[in-house]
Amino acid sequence: MVVTSSVGEVQPVVSPDYDREHEFRAFFDSKAGVKGIIDSGATKIPRIFVHDFDKPEDKPCPGNSNLSIPVIDIGGINQDADTRSDTVDKIRAASEEWGLFQVVNHGIPSTVMNKMVDAVRQFHEQDVEIKKLYCTSDPKAMFRYNKGTFDRSQMKKSVAWGDCISCEFDHLPADFPELPGEFRNPMSEYMNCVNTLGMTLFELLSEALGLRKSYLKDIGCAEGLYFVGHYYPPCPEPELTQAAIAHSDLAFLNMLLQDQIGGLQVLYQNEWVDVTPLPGAMVVNFGDMMQLITNDKFKSSKHRVLAKKVGPRISVATFMRPARSEAVTSRMYEPIEELLSDENPAIYKRTTIKDCMAQLYSNLSAGDGSSALLHFRI
Ligand code: OGA
Ligand code: NI
């Protein structure tokens, strides 16, 4: 999910002359994003970006270096039955324990990945007047620049140190006519590859749950795609803010492409662990909907992104989720019956994606990092 605007309340450690609303307005009205602040030569971050780390565990800190995220080679899944079942076992273990892992030999060519990262960089680094054209609150727009950040309803919250572009569609289109010209080709190539990887992962995950290969696809987990191209500018005071506040995603699955800067962390047994960039790898993590339908077997991982003095950092998230049409968002989801037993009864109520999404956004705006899932527990 887009998290650039989902942050905690700023404490009133402000001088009387600090006009919070004015600062918000200036930032929104500039439509130049966080990058605009850096481009103006700022050596301090504006107050609206200063986060209140009242819980010690929320403070930016290096990850526990004794722990590392599982890295799974999925290159051999079509070789022979043994290699496939070995891979499925590794995916099951990582999904149950971490809810986040990296995959290598996943079939997306590095040229396609690099072109995607470059296209996101170029979008953010182009003339601000052109970027502004994509700054829209039209809910039907396919492509948007800083969707959440420039939403005025966010005015009461502190802001995360990052810009983003987002693009959402149902079923993979053959072409992307609404996208900026130079973005179409890299996007189309990357989306085709990432969609194929998503389908492969859903098959492996279905098998890891002991279900038929097509199960998760059949229940519509992968109809809709939501793309977010993050751009986190270098930050002069990284200890005061965050690039993305701790959150869990909503969608079933996220496939994240990150560059080599680092900063992404995942919470594992109450400790932050770095998701260290691995050239060519894709980060895979689950959202709350996956945890709900698997009745807590697969974890929706809590993660965050630290602000850094170096940058920009670029990452590209692709979320797989049901399509957006009313009929589909009203479809009911509940813990998968085949996974339930007397010893393992359902712990979540039936819900629609719509309700789940509404709950998630309300939790994100509260900015306390609490899980939307608690709301659906029986
Ligand atoms: C997200 C997210 C992490 C990153 O988009 O939900 O967590 O590294 N992104 O940008
Ligand atoms: Ni996320």
Side-chain angles (χ1 to χ4, degrees), residues 159-171:
V159 185
W161 193 259
D163 295 328
C164 70
I165 41 180
S166 61
C167 186
E168 45 194 322
F169 38 86
D170 295 342
H171 310 286

Side-chain angles (χ1 to χ4, degrees), residues 7 35 50 96 99 107 114 154 176 225 234 262 269 299 308 330:
V7 286
K35 183 166 190 308
V50 176
E96 291 179 3
N114 295 340
Q154 301 283 347
F176 298 87
L225 291 157
Q269 296 178 353
K299 300 283 176 305
K308 288 201 158 203
S330 307

Side-chain angles (χ1 to χ4, degrees), residues 81-204:
D82 283 353
T83 314
R84 188 172 181 101
S85 91
D86 191 44
T87 312
V88 166
D89 289 346
K90 288 185 180 138
I91 287 188
R92 183 186 309 107
S95 304
E96 291 179 3
E97 214 185 322
W98 291 81
L100 183 147
F101 49 92
Q102 307 212 51
V103 290
V104 293
N105 285 321
H106 44 64
I108 308 184
S110 54
T111 46
V112 172
M113 297 169 90
N114 295 340
K115 265 163 72 180
M116 188 71 254
V117 168
D118 286 346
V120 171
R121 183 195 318 274
Q122 276 158 22
F123 180 89
H124 287 281
E125 292 182 353
Q126 73 186 320
D127 188 335
V128 67
E129 294 307 318
I130 300 177
K131 280 200 282 190
K132 284 182 189 172
L133 301 175
Y134 296 97
C135 199
T136 167
S137 50
D138 174 3
K140 292 213 174 69
M142 187 202 235
F143 184 87
R144 283 186 261 197
Y145 163 56
N146 273 354
K147 174 182 167 194
T149 315
F150 296 138
D151 176 355
R152 278 169 186 279
S153 64
Q154 301 283 347
M155 204 165 274
K156 292 274 170 345
K157 312 287 181 297
S158 54
V159 185
W161 193 259
D163 295 328
C164 70
I165 41 180
S166 61
C167 186
E168 45 194 322
F169 38 86
D170 295 342
H171 310 286
L172 191 65
D175 191 16
F176 298 87
E178 287 183 46
L179 264 53
E182 62 290 355
F183 213 76
R184 281 178 215 156
N185 190 14
M187 180 80 168
S188 164
E189 278 184 0
Y190 181 74
M191 277 294 145
N192 271 294
C193 291
V194 94
N195 189 49
T196 305
L197 174 60
M199 295 306 168
T200 303
L201 289 169
F202 274 116
E203 287 183 0
L204 295 169

Side-chain angles (χ1 to χ4, degrees), residues 68-69 71 100 102-104 113 256-265 273-283 305 308 310 313-315:
S68 49
I69 312 297
V71 177
L100 183 147
Q102 307 212 51
V103 290
V104 293
M113 297 169 90
L256 184 91
L257 162 59
Q258 60 168 341
D259 69 9
Q260 300 304 304
I261 297 279
L264 176 62
Q265 296 186 322
V273 179
D274 294 325
V275 184
T276 308
L278 191 62
M282 290 289 285
V283 178
V305 183
K308 288 201 158 203
V310 290
R313 172 177 184 267
I314 288 153
S315 68

Side-chain angles (χ1 to χ4, degrees), residues 38 189 217:
I38 286 300
E189 278 184 0
K217 254 190 283 179

